[in-house]
Every structure is written in structure tokens, then in C-alpha cells.
Amino acid sequence: MPPSEGFGSVKYKRHLPIRGPGAYAILGLTTLVSAWGLWRVGQGNQERKELAREQVWSRIHLVPLIMAEGDRDIYRRQQASLEREKEIMKDVPGWKPGESVYNDPRYHTPEYALR
């Protein structure tokens, strides 16, 4: 027969320790990390834009230097070509080295590379 005061209570409830942060903590941490990452992406975009602007302006400022260098190179090549022409045509009477064969007194920049 069962005891007069009855049987003892059956312990069926689980007593597990709390493991790790809660859902709101995880959500908050994820939001913070994502916001920080997006802020860093924005900073990187601004830096990249500034570097591109700086590169464009540096190229703009270098154009006159590059053009002057090209002009000096063309002049040097033209003078060398004129010297070669003088040497080659020295025996031809009436030949004027460097004179245009098209009877055009205007100066034209060469449209081909002189060697």
C-alpha cells in the first residue's frame, strides 16, 4: 500500500544553466558590428574618391610638362632629320634642306614619328 502522506513529488523540471548571451544581446551586437562595418565602408569610399580626385588633378597638372617634353623630342628629331637630309642631298644643286616640298609656308607638326 502507498504511504499515508502520499508519495514524494517527482522532479521533472529541468534546471539548465543559462548558456551564452540572450537573443536581444546577439541582435544588438550584430547591429553594432554591421553599423561599424558600414561606417568603415563609407570611410573607405570617401578615401578612394579623394585619391581618385588627387590622381586626376595630378594628371591635369602634368599635362603641360608632358607636352613640353614631347615638343622637345619632336624638335630634336626634326633637327636630326634635317642634318641627315643635308648630308644626303648635299650633291643636289638647288636643294634647300628643310624646305617644304608642298610650297606651304605654314608650320605643321609632324603627324608621323621621325626616327
Side-chain angles (χ1 to χ4, degrees):
M1 292 283 185
S4 61
E5 58 270 356
F7 290 105
S9 64
V10 177
K11 298 182 180 179
Y12 63 92
K13 190 172 182 182
R14 297 176 64 184
H15 294 288
L16 299 175
I18 297 175
R19 306 187 109 187
Y24 289 119
I26 293 173
L27 180 64
L29 184 63
T30 303
T31 302
L32 284 175
V33 168
S34 297
W36 180 79
L38 287 173
W39 177 75
R40 291 288 295 154
V41 166
Q43 294 295 314
N45 288 343
Q46 286 179 352
E47 180 72 19
R48 193 174 65 231
K49 188 188 304 183
E50 179 66 24
L51 288 174
R53 186 190 65 80
E54 183 179 335
Q55 187 176 23
V56 166
W57 277 103
S58 66
R59 287 180 181 172
I60 287 172
H61 291 299
L62 284 176
V63 165
L65 178 69
I66 294 170
M67 288 179 69
E69 185 178 345
D71 290 345
R72 284 192 300 271
D73 187 45
I74 288 172
Y75 177 76
R76 182 186 59 80
R77 288 175 185 265
Q78 283 178 341
Q79 292 303 314
S81 178
L82 186 62
E83 291 299 320
R84 281 195 307 270
E85 184 181 351
K86 283 181 187 177
E87 181 63 32
I88 293 170
M89 302 301 282
K90 66 183 173 189
D91 297 330
V92 177
W95 185 266
K96 296 179 184 172
E99 186 176 309
S100 175
V101 295
Y102 300 110
N103 297 321
D104 188 6
R106 292 182 298 166
Y107 173 76
H108 295 282
T109 57
E111 297 178 2
Y112 53 90
L114 297 172
R115 293 182 189 221

